Amino acid sequence: MGKIVDLHCDTISLLAKTKESLKNNGGHFDLLRAKRAGIGVQFFALFCLPRDNEDTLREILKQSEKYYCELSLNQEEVYPLMQYEDILLPVNQDKIACLLHLEGAEALGSDVELIHVLYRLGLRSIGLTWNYRNLMADGVLAGDQDSGISKKGRQLLEEISELGMILDLAHLGEKGFFEAVEYYDKPLIVSHANARHLCPHRRNLSNEQLKALQMNGGVVGVTAVKDFVGSHENAYDLIDHIVYISELIGSDHVALGSDFDGADHMVLSGVEEYQNLGGLLERRGFTPGETENILSGNALRVMKAIL
Ligand SMILES: [Zn+2]
C-alpha cells in the first residue's frame, strides 16, 4: 500500500460533470499522479448542492455510477474499499483503496432506512449536512439558528454506527459537533478542516472542538483549501496547522483531507505535491514515526475501528 491516506476529495463529483477520466485529467487529482505521490487510500465524496431531496438522490446515484465505471476501467490501479481487511489482501498490495463518502445526507430526505441501500452501494462514510440545515442537522452556516442534530439525525447516527460507517463532522454546526461527540460511540473524523486559532474561518475547528476530538480518539484531516489555511497561503502554512494541532491535542489526531477538486484555490497544486509532505514534516521536527502516523497511521486506526 502507498504511504498516504487522504480523507476527502471531490474528484468524482467534478468528473461526473466534466466527463473526464479518473486515470488522467486536468484537475487536482488523477490516478497517474496519485500513484506516483504514494497515495494508499483516497476518500471520494459524492456531493451536490442541497436542493430538492429527490433531485439530490438522483444526482448522487449518477455520481456513484461514474465512480464505479472509473473503478472498473482502472481495476489494475484501484479497488473499492468495503471492509478494513480489503487493505491487507495481497491482491490489493499495489493498488489505491477508494472509499465512497456522502457529503451531506439530503439524498435520504426523511427516510433514514435508505442508508442501508447506500451501504449496499458501497458507501462507507457520511457527513450529516453540508453547511446548511437539512432534516438531519444544522451546518456551520446556521450560525445563531444552530439547533444541532435532529431526532431523525440521531436515528441516522444509530444506523450508521451499527452498519459500520465512518461519521464525518466536517461542515456540521458547532452544536451538532458536540452532540455527535456525545452520541456517537466510535472514533470520529473531521475529514477536511484546519485550526481556527490560526485561520478564523467557520469551517475550521476551535480549540474546544479539537480537544473533544482528542477525547473521542478521532482525527482531523488538514485541508489545502486556501481560505482555510490563511496567512501566506502556501504549503508551509499548511504545515503550521499540523504543528499547531499536534501541540494542542497530539500528532496522533492529525491526518490529511486535501479537498482536491472541491475548491479552486489550494495551497498545493495537486496530489503530486503530497510526495514532498513527509520531508516537510520531518524538517519541522516530527519523528519518522509521527510523520508516518500523520500521513496514514492515524486515519487507518479510525478506519480499522469502524469498517
Ligand atoms: Zn467540503
Side-chain angles (χ1 to χ4, degrees):
M1 197 189 97
K3 297 181 289 294
I4 295 172
V5 177
D6 184 87
L7 297 174
H8 192 88
C9 79
D10 282 308
T11 304
I12 286 296
S13 345
L14 179 68
L15 297 179
K17 284 190 208 101
T18 64
K19 313 290 180 203
E20 281 189 284
S21 81
L22 185 60
K23 185 159 200 158
N24 184 9
N25 62 56
H28 294 138
F29 179 100
D30 65 34
L31 295 180
L32 292 177
R33 284 177 286 152
K35 202 124 194 229
R36 279 202 300 269
I39 296 282
V41 179
Q42 180 65 52
F43 283 48
F44 287 99
L46 304 175
F47 171 73
C48 99
L49 275 172
R51 46 185 198 226
D52 168 65
N53 292 337
E54 211 155 298
D55 229 30
T56 309
L57 178 59
R58 297 171 76 87
E59 179 61 32
I60 292 310
L61 292 176
K62 284 193 268 184
Q63 290 182 15
S64 349
E65 179 56 14
K66 176 67 172 169
Y67 174 75
Y68 282 110
C69 281
E70 289 295 338
L71 261 51
S72 58
L73 283 171
N74 296 285
Q75 284 179 47
E76 302 299 312
E77 325 287 339
V78 291
Y79 65 96
L81 187 68
M82 297 296 183
Q83 53 198 6
Y84 188 79
E85 291 68 31
D86 295 346
I87 289 179
L88 311 172
L89 297 176
V91 63
N92 292 331
Q93 268 319 292
D94 297 319
K95 297 182 186 174
I96 297 174
C98 300
L99 196 137
L100 193 59
H101 169 73
L102 180 60
E103 190 169 20
E106 282 77 15
L108 299 176
S110 60
D111 299 312
V112 170
E113 67 270 31
L114 286 183
I115 195 65
H116 291 263
V117 180
L118 295 180
Y119 183 87
R120 287 178 211 274
L121 200 65
L123 194 77
R124 291 296 179 271
S125 167
I126 185 170
L128 295 182
T129 181
W130 179 85
N131 288 352
Y132 303 119
R133 166 173 296 175
N134 63 16
L135 294 169
M136 303 301 167
D138 278 357
V140 287
L141 294 184
D144 295 343
Q145 311 296 316
D146 189 354
S147 50
I149 298 174
S150 69
K151 214 172 146 194
K152 281 273 176 216
R154 275 210 231 180
Q155 284 171 17
L156 182 59
L157 292 193
E158 278 170 35
E159 296 295 329
I160 66 176
S161 169
E162 198 147 313
L163 282 167
M165 207 181 260
I166 294 168
L167 180 60
D168 179 1
L169 305 187
H171 292 283
L172 190 63
E174 272 194 59
K175 189 163 189 284
F177 180 99
F178 289 107
E179 288 172 353
V181 173
E182 198 180 323
Y183 304 144
Y184 197 67
D185 51 2
K186 290 177 178 164
L188 295 153
I189 69 168
V190 180
S191 65
H192 53 307
N194 292 333
R196 206 182 292 168
H197 181 81
L198 297 185
C199 174
H201 192 288
R202 267 176 207 272
R203 276 270 292 102
N204 284 340
L205 301 180
S206 68
N207 287 352
E208 290 65 37
Q209 286 177 301
L210 288 167
K211 284 177 187 163
L213 201 60
Q214 175 191 32
M215 294 301 288
N216 161 272
V219 294
V220 53
V222 294
T223 177
V225 176
K226 264 189 183 172
D227 287 348
F228 304 162
V229 174
S231 192
H232 308 96
E233 304 179 337
N234 60 37
Y236 296 101
D237 299 320
L238 183 62
I239 306 289
D240 285 347
H241 283 271
I242 297 178
V243 170
Y244 178 80
I245 297 169
S246 297
E247 283 173 356
L248 187 74
I249 62 172
S251 62
D252 286 349
H253 303 282
V254 185
L256 307 174
S258 59
D259 207 3
F260 286 138
D261 293 317
D264 292 334
H265 304 290
M266 314 281 281
V267 300
L268 303 175
S269 58
V271 65
E272 62 279 4
E273 278 204 56
Y274 262 175
Q275 60 206 7
N276 309 322
L277 209 54
L280 287 174
L281 288 171
E282 291 191 15
R283 248 169 280 151
R284 283 294 291 271
F286 290 97
T287 66
E290 288 167 341
T291 300
E292 192 187 324
N293 282 340
I294 292 167
L295 296 183
S296 65
N298 297 332
L300 291 174
R301 180 188 74 228
V302 173
M303 290 167 62
K304 192 174 179 184
I306 296 171
L307 299 175

